[in-house]
Amino acid sequence: MSGFSAIEPSGWKRPSGYSNAISATGRMVMIAGQIGWDPVTAEFRSDDFVTQVSQALRNIVVILEAAGARPEHLVRLTWFITDRDKYMNCRKEIGAVYRETIGAHFPPMSVVVVSALIEKRAKVEIEATAIIPA
């Protein structure tokens, strides 16, 4: 995509499921942490980790669309999760729902394990930053 450039230092092992850095120019869109609930009713439909990841990602895509952006405009994702083992054991399923929702676009990402999130039933919260090319 024009205006975007992946940055991977020479000699480094290629990352899987994310990139080390992206350089981009354009209009920035910062998205607050999205959790795996229905944003209209503010109710969880499931306590399943992967289902909540899928919903949080769908929420991000809806916000992107409202801002005139698309998933390929994402330049940063920060995931906050409450269960490291669940995340590690579900990586294949998480990857599948990620590709289904975001596509084959893998911006820089961080995953942070936290003891809890503000919403008691939330298992994941994902913050996002996008840049819409000028």
Side-chain angles (χ1 to χ4, degrees):
M1 167 164 287
S2 178
F4 287 75
S5 177
I7 300 169
E8 298 298 342
S10 178
W12 283 24
K13 180 180 176 189
R14 182 159 177 80
S16 176
Y18 66 97
S19 60
N20 282 304
I22 288 180
S23 173
T25 58
R27 182 169 57 94
M28 294 182 69
V29 179
M30 280 71 67
I31 300 174
Q34 297 300 303
I35 58 177
W37 68 5
D38 179 326
V40 174
T41 63
E43 294 179 3
F44 290 91
R45 293 186 178 151
S46 174
D47 289 317
D48 176 70
F49 188 84
V50 175
T51 301
Q52 286 197 16
V53 167
S54 180
Q55 182 65 55
L57 291 170
R58 286 195 309 272
N59 294 348
I60 288 169
V61 169
V62 170
I63 294 169
L64 288 170
E65 290 170 354
R70 297 185 306 272
E72 60 265 25
H73 295 140
L74 289 167
V75 296
R76 179 91 171 130
L77 293 172
T78 303
W79 299 48
F80 301 91
I81 61 170
T82 59
D83 188 334
R84 180 190 181 280
D85 292 337
K86 181 60 96 172
Y87 177 87
M88 296 302 289
N89 291 333
C90 294
R91 284 181 297 172
K92 184 174 181 178
E93 295 89 348
I94 292 168
V97 298
Y98 179 93
R99 287 185 303 280
E100 177 182 306
T101 309
I102 304 298
H105 175 66
F106 305 101
M109 296 184 212
S110 296
V111 179
V112 181
V113 181
V114 296
S115 62
L117 295 165
I118 296 298
E119 294 298 328
K120 287 185 179 187
R121 288 181 64 189
K123 307 217 181 290
V124 62
E125 183 170 337
I126 306 172
E127 290 181 350
T129 303
I131 297 182
I132 302 170

